[in-house]
Amino acid sequence: MELSSADKYEPVIGLEIHAELATHSKMFCRCKNDSSEERPNTNICPVCLAHPGTLPVANQDAVRKVVAVGLALDARVPDTSKFDRKNYFYPDQPKGYQISQYDEPLVANGLIVVPSGKQVRITRVHLEEDTGSLTHDRAGNTLVDFNRAGVPLMELVTEPDMRSAKDAREAAEELQLIFQYTGASYARMQKGEMRVEANVSVRLKGTEKFGTKVEIKNINSFKFAEKAIEYEIERQIQLIESGGEVRQETRGWDEAKQKTVLQRVKESAHDYRYFPEPDLPPLNVVTIREELKHRLPELPAQKRERFLREYGLDNEAVEFFVRNIAIAGFYEKAVSELGEWLSSSGHDSKGAYKLLRNYMLSDLSRALDDKDILFDDMKCTPENFAELISLIADKKISSRGAKDILLTMVSVGGDPSDIARDLDVFQSSDAGELEGTIKKVLEENPSAITEYKAGKQNALQFLVGQAMKASKGKGNPETIRDLLLQMLS
Ligand code: ADP
Ligand code: ZN
Ligand code: MG
């Protein structure tokens, strides 16, 4: 059988990722670094506007953040590093050059292992400054906003180790988590705090030499990254199969057209005329590196392993918690609260933890969606949440009642027992209370009793339903069922 053209080729992908650092101030001046500032040209000063005679001072916190990422990547962080000028004109870059790092980056030779087990080597991570931003209005004018000019930016470059669009997506997602866990960047793609560029080439399977690469820019979500790379792989294969040749160029992802489109033919390093930045002294990072070595936070891979081991969670739940740092913190507190209740109540702990897992993964987010509240803004505490789970486990409330209670808990807060009382959703599991109700139901439905005795299971269901109704929904269905069976026998 002849191989289809796609099977003859192997894609080769390398990533270049920019992330804005979560510092208070900009890279070389004291202006605020605030990506949510909507008033243009508010966070600006003579330094980031490049007025003649001004001098840059390097932001130590930005250096620390990149070093932390380097340590998290198990990379080499050399004792010294320096800044270089990268010369190019761009209307939102007032200096006419960008301060960046060329041959002595802060970080080199790292490695990540994504959840699938795939390893991706990190070539380098360096520190630079962001440009401002341009807006094109309807009248055809271009407006410039320098709020972002001089914001600390970290650029990470990977080796061309990925072999599929999915590999590349997973690597980018893992790097986002590492940036977030180390506190280096909020790395929200939709806010432009993290930007992914993918370098894509194809080669015949079994050959060593890499093909000519194309760089794809303008990718603003992980989903688009995967789609853009898939499209580009296919485009290159078809080009080669039809006798053409891949050109080294920069293309952009056009989401509307679902294709990559030519932007420009790439410039090479010498076009930038890099040279050491004369206005900044070299960096000595020994002290920072040695200090941070001992203060590295838990990393995504470690958290995966711990959540699996400590809480015995399934993969879906582990991944959910690893990707949602704040929700995971909430979960851990709720687990310990629930643990206290379990040890004093002697309940089936496996069942209760399973309930907690399910309520965290689905019911909570549904309640937040319903009330249009963000997790960070909700009023529900882990203590209250654990208590809600204990009420369900105790059969004091139904899952229906729990939903209503949860809506109140996320929007106004409070103790679930109080809310249950206010909403009048407590169930009765008290046999004495329920017996009277059931007796009455049996008296009123003699035919159902006859049917049940004739072996019809539906009749029992019917009687449970009638008793639930008679108790105005307060009876616990399982207790009612048990009592009915007792009385019928
Ligand atoms: P350039 O000099 O064009 O900037 P680099 O060698 O610095 O190229 O690599 C830039 C990025 O492109 C890196 O992420 C690297 O892994 C990736 N890359 C390099 N060569 C290839 C290739 N043939 N196919 C796919 N990606 C590549
Ligand atoms: Zn400034
Ligand atoms: Mg390069």
Side-chain angles (χ1 to χ4, degrees):
M1 197 182 76
E2 202 177 316
L3 287 171
S4 85
S5 51
D7 293 333
K8 288 198 319 207
Y9 293 88
E10 176 179 59
V12 171
I13 303 149
L15 297 174
E16 288 168 285
I17 296 178
H18 284 90
E20 284 177 358
L21 298 174
T23 54
H24 294 295
S25 56
K26 289 190 182 180
M27 188 60 226
F28 299 114
C29 61
R30 291 188 164 168
C31 288
K32 224 166 134 191
N33 168 17
D34 179 7
S35 67
S36 56
E37 176 55 77
E38 281 171 6
R39 295 163 301 169
N41 299 307
T42 314
N43 296 323
I44 52 172
C45 77
V47 176
C48 54
L49 289 182
H51 287 192
T54 55
L55 283 174
V57 177
N59 182 335
Q60 286 296 303
D61 189 36
V63 175
R64 291 176 69 90
K65 287 183 156 62
V66 175
V67 170
V69 167
L71 296 171
L73 296 171
D74 206 10
R76 191 164 62 83
V77 179
D79 291 352
T80 57
S81 182
K82 72 171 169 64
F83 290 104
D84 298 279
R85 270 189 201 185
K86 183 179 183 181
N87 299 279
Y88 63 101
F89 174 77
Y90 214 67
D92 55 13
Q93 180 180 253
K95 288 202 287 277
Y97 59 83
Q98 178 191 33
I99 302 182
S100 180
Q101 300 194 283
Y102 185 51
D103 54 351
E104 291 183 40
L106 276 165
V107 172
N109 300 331
L111 182 77
I112 57 164
V113 184
V114 303
S116 71
K118 171 88 193 159
Q119 301 198 352
V120 177
R121 289 168 299 160
I122 307 301
T123 316
R124 56 184 279 152
V125 189
H126 72 249
L127 187 52
E128 57 187 34
E129 55 180 332
D130 212 342
T131 58
S133 48
L134 300 176
T135 321
H136 309 280
D137 73 8
R138 285 177 192 209
N141 301 306
T142 297
L143 307 167
V144 62
D145 174 10
F146 290 113
N147 281 344
R148 204 181 66 179
V151 159
L153 199 61
M154 142 177 86
E155 179 178 335
L156 178 150
V157 183
T158 77
E159 291 295 305
D161 285 350
M162 288 144 282
R163 296 291 174 267
S164 70
K166 191 165 156 284
D167 275 358
R169 178 187 180 148
E170 287 176 0
E173 286 178 338
E174 191 66 7
L175 287 165
Q176 179 189 45
L177 290 178
I178 291 171
F179 298 165
Q180 292 172 342
Y181 275 55
T182 50
S185 174
Y186 297 112
R188 291 168 290 203
M189 296 274 282
Q190 72 277 17
K191 284 206 162 198
E193 292 160 345
M194 172 163 160
R195 313 193 275 267
V196 175
E197 286 154 30
N199 296 273
V200 180
S201 67
V202 297
R203 64 179 171 191
L204 277 173
K205 268 188 189 158
T207 59
E208 284 283 306
K209 200 169 165 290
F210 288 151
T212 303
K213 73 173 155 65
V214 164
E215 186 176 344
I216 317 171
K217 291 189 187 275
N218 270 7
I219 301 174
N220 41 31
S221 77
F222 293 117
K223 203 168 116 218
F224 292 175
E226 200 173 338
K227 280 204 276 184
I229 295 168
E230 259 159 17
Y231 176 89
E232 185 57 26
I233 292 168
E234 195 50 40
R235 187 189 72 85
Q236 293 183 15
I237 291 174
Q238 284 182 12
L239 190 62
I240 297 169
E241 284 287 295
S242 63
E245 228 173 75
V246 176
R247 222 181 1 167
Q248 175 153 349
E249 62 193 23
T250 302
R251 300 177 72 86
W253 175 244
D254 187 328
E255 175 61 17
K257 296 201 181 104
Q258 293 285 304
K259 48 161 75 175
T260 61
V261 291
L262 179 66
Q263 286 190 330
R264 61 189 149 83
V265 177
K266 199 177 157 52
E267 51 292 88
S268 55
H270 64 259
D271 293 335
Y272 292 123
R273 205 172 57 92
Y274 277 103
F275 61 82
E277 170 56 54
D279 288 344
L280 286 163
L283 290 165
N284 183 321
V285 287
V286 175
T287 318
I288 292 178
R289 182 190 63 208
E290 295 311 308
E291 184 208 324
L292 290 181
K293 248 184 208 168
H294 307 289
R295 296 213 287 162
L296 215 56
E298 182 178 46
L299 295 167
Q302 296 165 329
K303 189 163 187 166
R304 254 179 217 114
E305 194 268 324
R306 184 169 68 82
F307 268 51
L308 212 64
R309 174 168 44 79
E310 218 169 290
Y311 303 122
L313 289 165
D314 52 293
N315 279 331
E316 187 198 350
V318 168
E319 213 46 44
F320 174 80
F321 288 126
V322 168
R323 283 162 192 248
N324 293 283
I325 302 174
I327 302 180
F330 182 99
Y331 170 75
E332 294 199 80
K333 288 204 192 96
V335 166
S336 93
E337 293 287 332
L338 191 61
E340 278 179 30
W341 175 77
L342 284 166
S343 63
S344 66
S345 74
H347 267 78
D348 156 42
S349 59
K350 222 170 163 194
Y353 287 126
K354 181 95 187 155
L355 269 176
L356 177 61
R357 176 237 180 253
N358 293 344
Y359 270 75
M360 290 284 324
L361 257 70
S362 51
D363 302 74
L364 178 59
S365 44
R366 213 173 303 132
L368 291 170
D369 278 355
D370 275 8
K371 289 280 176 186
D372 202 13
I373 297 173
L374 294 174
F375 176 82
D376 289 337
D377 300 330
M378 75 166 180
K379 298 283 179 1
C380 175
T381 65
E383 294 74 25
N384 292 157
F385 198 79
E387 190 183 334
L388 177 70
I389 300 301
S390 74
L391 291 175
I392 308 167
D394 230 0
K395 302 202 170 57
K396 291 201 170 123
I397 53 173
S398 65
S399 56
R400 173 71 246 146
K403 280 192 178 67
D404 292 336
I405 298 172
L406 195 51
L407 287 174
T408 308
M409 286 169 73
V410 298
S411 52
V412 288
D415 187 290
S417 301
D418 295 342
I419 301 171
R421 205 165 300 122
D422 289 349
L423 296 176
D424 199 18
V425 292
F426 265 124
Q427 281 189 339
S428 171
S429 302
D430 178 17
E433 228 171 85
L434 288 172
E435 257 168 29
T437 314
I438 295 173
K439 237 179 227 151
K440 225 170 129 223
V441 167
L442 288 176
E443 280 164 22
E444 284 166 5
N445 296 285
S447 58
I449 301 177
T450 322
E451 281 176 28
Y452 172 74
K453 297 222 157 124
K456 287 202 177 146
Q457 282 302 309
N458 283 350
L460 181 65
Q461 250 343 92
F462 170 77
L463 289 168
V464 171
Q466 290 301 306
M468 285 289 289
K469 219 172 179 182
S471 75
K472 298 202 175 66
K474 301 263 174 44
N476 177 279
E478 281 172 41
T479 315
I480 290 180
R481 198 187 156 84
D482 290 347
L483 285 170
L484 264 171
L485 285 172
Q486 271 176 35
M487 291 163 134
L488 284 167
S489 67

